[in-house]
Amino acid sequence: MNPHAKLISIMSLLLGTTITISSNHWMMAWTGLEINTLAILPLISKPHHPRAIEAAVKYFLVQAAASALVLFSSMSNAWATGQWDITQLSHPMSCLLLTVAIAMKLGLVPFHFWYPEVLQGSSLTTALLLSTVMKFPPITILFLTSHSLNPTLLTSLAIASTA
C-alpha cells in the first residue's frame, strides 16, 4: 500500500475516533462512526486476496447495518423527545435499538458471527486495529448512554460474550 494512502487511513481512523468520543450530538457521533468504518476498509482489503476482500465486504455490511440502527435510534429518540443530545436518550424503543446497534458494532454474542471471519481475512496489524481502536467509539457511546439502557440486557450480553 502506498505510504501516503496508509497515512491517510490511519489519520482518518484517529479523526473518526476523536469525533465520536468528543461528540454530544447524535449526528456527529454517527459521522465519526462512519469515518472509522470507511477508513479501515482499505486496510482490511490491502492484501488483494479474495479472503481479505470478503472480510472487507462482511465488515462493511455489518457496520453499515449497525450504523443505520444507530441513526434510526437517534432519529426516533429525537422524534419522541425533541432532543439530539446523546445523554438525553429516553425513548424505550430507541434504547433497545441502540443496544442492538452497539452490540453489532462491538461483535457481542448474538451478533458475533462476523467478527472471527473478518479477523481471519485480515492481516495481524489490521486485526489488532479492529480489536482495539475500532472498539473505542462504540464503547464511548455505550458509556454515555448507559444510564438509559436496560442494565439486565447489558449484563446478559456481557456474560454471554465472556462465556
Side-chain angles (χ1 to χ4, degrees):
M1 177 180 259
N2 186 353
H4 296 293
K6 192 172 190 177
L7 178 66
I8 289 173
S9 292
I10 297 296
M11 294 302 291
S12 296
L13 277 174
L14 293 174
L15 176 70
T17 301
T18 305
I19 287 173
T20 304
I21 287 174
S22 63
S23 64
N24 286 332
H25 195 274
W26 276 113
M27 292 305 288
M28 288 303 294
W30 177 78
T31 302
L33 291 171
E34 288 301 309
I35 290 172
N36 265 356
T37 299
L38 294 176
I40 197 74
L41 287 175
L43 296 175
I44 295 172
S45 61
K46 178 178 61 172
H48 300 295
H49 189 269
R51 186 150 182 145
I53 303 300
E54 179 186 355
V57 169
K58 284 181 184 177
Y59 183 79
F60 176 74
L61 290 176
V62 170
Q63 295 300 311
S67 290
L69 282 176
V70 167
L71 194 58
F72 184 67
S73 169
S74 63
M75 287 178 15
S76 64
N77 186 63
W79 182 282
T81 64
Q83 297 287 329
W84 281 96
D85 190 14
I86 289 177
T87 59
Q88 301 298 322
L89 187 69
S90 59
H91 193 258
M93 182 57 82
S94 298
C95 293
L96 181 64
L97 285 174
L98 183 69
T99 304
V100 169
I102 295 298
M104 285 176 71
K105 283 202 163 287
L106 290 174
L108 296 181
V109 150
F111 310 104
H112 72 287
F113 294 109
W114 64 271
Y115 194 64
E117 296 176 10
V118 170
L119 290 182
Q120 286 177 355
S122 303
S123 67
L124 187 61
T125 307
T126 306
L128 180 66
L129 283 173
L130 285 171
S131 298
T132 56
V133 176
M134 298 302 288
K135 302 298 182 201
F136 291 145
I139 287 174
T140 302
I141 293 174
L142 186 67
F143 284 147
L144 287 173
T145 59
S146 63
H147 65 279
S148 303
L149 303 178
N150 185 354
T152 308
L153 180 60
L154 291 176
T155 304
S156 64
L157 287 174
I159 290 171
S161 293
T162 53

